[in-house]
């Protein structure tokens, strides 16, 4: 579904659609474990996991959550937006484990639309006063 930016507020509260299916293979889980350094046996050791509480390896909860941005993109786009930023997901719960070999997909609902004003660069004094402020967001010295 493609929604024009000018009509986005009209879709507030609407069910937008359902994403494509995403398979979760042992290879995906192993690569995610390498990237996150989470090599817990319940994820990466199929033989040991077979004797564990779930009868086999399960995907990392964070792996399934990391698929959400792709699922959103599958489901809808906003025409006329020059950039879309993922700021997070509200009220996320990991209800039950996802066995390796399963497929997952997401159902999207547009729960709110909050237009944001354009950000303005910070003044040099603000950059000096906030040691953690990224330099790219600070105005150049004059």
């Amino acid at each position: 579904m493609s929604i024009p930016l000018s009509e986005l507020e009209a879709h507030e509260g609407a069910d937008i659609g359902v994403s494509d299916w995403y398979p979760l293979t042992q290879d995906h889980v192993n690569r995610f474990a390498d990237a996150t350094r989470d090599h817990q046996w319940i994820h990466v050791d199929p033989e040991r996991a077979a004797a564990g509480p779930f009868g086999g390896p399960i995907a990392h909860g964070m792996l399934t959550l990391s698929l959400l941005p792709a699922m959103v993109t599958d489901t809808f786009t906003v025409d006329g937006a020059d950039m879309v930023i993922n700021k997070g997901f509200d009220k996320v719960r990991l209800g039950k484990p996802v066995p390796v070999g399963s497929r997952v997909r997401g159902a999207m609902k547009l729960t709110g639309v909050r237009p944001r004003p354009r950000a303005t660069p910070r003044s040099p004094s603000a950059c000096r006063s906030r040691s953690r402020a990224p330099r790219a967001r600070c105005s150049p010295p004059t």
Side-chain angles (χ1 to χ4, degrees), residues 19 24 40 55 59 68 72-73 100-101 104 106 111 132:
S19 75
L24 290 170
Q40 191 173 154
L68 287 172
V72 168
T73 302
V100 170
V104 295
T111 59
R132 292 187 175 185

Side-chain angles (χ1 to χ4, degrees), residues 24 54 58-61 64 93-99 102-104:
L24 290 170
F54 305 110
I58 59 171
H60 302 74
T64 58
R93 290 280 193 224
L94 302 173
K96 61 182 183 177
V98 178
S102 297
R103 311 181 299 161
V104 295

Side-chain angles (χ1 to χ4, degrees), residues 1 16-20 22 32 61-78 84-90 92 104-108:
M1 169 184 260
I16 301 296
V18 179
S19 75
D20 295 337
Y22 286 78
F32 189 83
M62 296 305 291
L63 170 56
T64 58
L65 288 177
S66 72
L67 295 172
L68 287 172
M71 291 177 184
V72 168
T73 302
D74 286 348
T75 309
F76 75 100
T77 58
V78 179
V84 177
I85 298 173
N86 174 9
K87 293 186 77 176
F89 299 94
D90 293 338
V92 173
V104 295
R105 66 180 178 170
M108 306 301 151

Side-chain angles (χ1 to χ4, degrees), residues 11-139:
H11 292 274
E12 190 169 352
D15 290 325
I16 301 296
V18 179
S19 75
D20 295 337
W21 286 101
Y22 286 78
L24 290 170
T25 66
Q26 188 64 56
D27 182 58
H28 290 123
V29 170
N30 292 345
R31 288 186 291 141
F32 189 83
D34 289 342
T36 61
R37 298 182 179 182
D38 180 358
H39 293 94
Q40 191 173 154
W41 63 268
I42 197 72
H43 305 302
V44 299
D45 186 341
E47 289 179 20
R48 186 173 176 193
F54 305 110
I58 59 171
H60 302 74
M62 296 305 291
L63 170 56
T64 58
L65 288 177
S66 72
L67 295 172
L68 287 172
M71 291 177 184
V72 168
T73 302
D74 286 348
T75 309
F76 75 100
T77 58
V78 179
D79 289 340
D82 58 346
M83 179 177 21
V84 177
I85 298 173
N86 174 9
K87 293 186 77 176
F89 299 94
D90 293 338
K91 300 178 184 177
V92 173
R93 290 280 193 224
L94 302 173
K96 61 182 183 177
V98 178
V100 170
S102 297
R103 311 181 299 161
V104 295
R105 66 180 178 170
M108 306 301 151
K109 180 175 186 166
L110 185 59
T111 59
V113 176
R114 285 181 254 158
R116 296 278 193 203
R118 286 209 175 264
T120 55
R122 294 182 179 155
S123 68
S125 62
C127 292
R128 284 192 295 274
S129 66
R130 303 179 96 196
S131 61
R132 292 187 175 185
R135 289 181 178 232
R137 295 184 67 187
C138 298
S139 299

